[in-house]
Amino acid sequence: MIRLHYVPGSRSFRVLWLLEELGERADLKIWSLTDGGLRSPEFRALSPAGRIPALEIDGRVIFESGAIVEYLTETRGRLAPRPGTPERADFLQWLHFAETQANILQNLNIHHIFLRPESARSAALTKLDTKRLEVTMRGMEAHLAGRDWLLDGFSAADVMFGFNLEAMFRFVRPEAFPALAVWADCCKARPAYRRAVAKGGASAIYTQDFYELNDG
């Protein structure tokens, strides 16, 4: 039995998408970001920081989405270059870059959506994190120019950006990033991506398509 502890629109989507790509059946346990359940002893026993995702698999529990992605590719033997091969370093690099970018996106979610009251939000920090996001996107744009995927073929490195795909163009418009936008569309067109969206449900985070930068 595989059970994924999941919040729609969160980093846990990476894991759900990868499970679909690998053909692994998983039971979903849906949690809320706002009802306090992630702070409960029940969930803290699975994920010490009280953060989604956690994956029950192979007789154990794994938390941290990056660790889960690496574990699944290693134990299922697919969608990642083998250790010791030249492309392995590129795979690991993009896997961790996805989380660097995701942390910026998380900050922007806090600035634009979660921080209450709205008067507590900082226009300066929001602008700074938007610029930081743009820097990461420019790096991806340069890398993706003239290629379909982050590596020589589709891999779990692309899947690791599952949370980012839903978020990045909420804060930065796609017109300046044509290669990145095409890549994002190709990811979203994959049958496994679509199955994951249908199974996991729509994002529980965003209430509008684009969040304008408030210069204060």
Side-chain angles (χ1 to χ4, degrees), residues 26 36 44 52 65 75 79 91 101 111 133 144 164 188-189 207:
R44 288 283 177 85
I52 289 290
S65 59
T75 58
L79 294 179
F91 170 74
Q101 188 182 73
H111 295 324
L133 174 60
L144 286 165
N164 310 36
K188 293 178 179 181
T207 59

Side-chain angles (χ1 to χ4, degrees), residues 4-210:
L4 174 61
H5 296 264
Y6 184 85
V7 170
S10 73
R11 286 170 171 82
S12 53
F13 180 77
R14 299 165 167 166
V15 180
L16 179 56
W17 179 14
L18 182 56
L19 289 168
E20 289 293 330
E21 292 282 356
L22 294 170
E24 297 277 357
R25 291 178 174 269
D27 173 58
L28 287 189
K29 166 68 174 176
I30 306 293
W31 295 81
S32 169
L33 290 176
T34 57
D35 67 0
L38 296 179
R39 298 190 296 274
S40 68
E42 175 192 359
F43 188 71
R44 288 283 177 85
L46 302 172
S47 176
R51 292 178 52 147
I52 289 290
L55 184 69
E56 298 180 60
I57 189 171
D58 299 340
R60 61 163 301 157
V61 180
I62 309 173
F63 53 90
E64 293 295 335
S65 59
I68 294 169
V69 168
E70 287 194 55
Y71 178 82
L72 287 172
T73 59
E74 290 174 6
T75 58
R76 274 56 184 174
R78 290 182 52 208
L79 294 179
R82 295 190 311 278
T85 58
E87 206 175 21
R88 181 69 177 185
D90 294 326
F91 170 74
L92 294 173
Q93 174 177 269
W94 287 110
L95 204 70
H96 291 279
F97 185 87
E99 186 57 20
T100 293
Q101 188 182 73
N103 281 326
I104 300 170
L105 290 165
Q106 178 179 276
N107 288 344
L108 286 168
N109 286 341
I110 292 170
H111 295 324
H112 284 280
I113 300 166
F114 292 112
L115 195 60
R116 294 287 189 272
E118 290 191 20
S119 59
R121 300 173 185 177
S122 167
L125 288 177
T126 305
K127 185 174 183 179
L128 175 62
D129 278 321
T130 303
K131 294 298 183 185
R132 292 175 65 215
L133 174 60
E134 290 173 348
V135 168
T136 67
M137 292 171 68
R138 284 197 294 271
M140 295 184 72
E141 177 72 15
H143 178 73
L144 286 165
R147 60 189 304 147
D148 295 328
W149 306 108
L150 292 169
L151 304 183
D152 287 342
F154 177 79
S155 74
D158 300 288
V159 176
M160 189 67 179
F161 284 85
F163 166 73
N164 310 36
L165 291 171
E166 173 65 18
M168 66 175 71
F169 291 123
R170 303 277 181 174
F171 307 111
V172 176
R173 297 196 184 275
E175 289 79 6
F177 301 95
L180 185 52
V182 168
W183 167 78
D185 287 343
C186 288
C187 288
K188 293 178 179 181
R190 292 185 65 84
Y193 182 99
R194 293 181 174 181
R195 290 195 303 271
V197 171
K199 185 172 184 179
S203 173
I205 297 173
Y206 303 108
T207 59
Q208 57 195 73
D209 292 335
F210 190 79

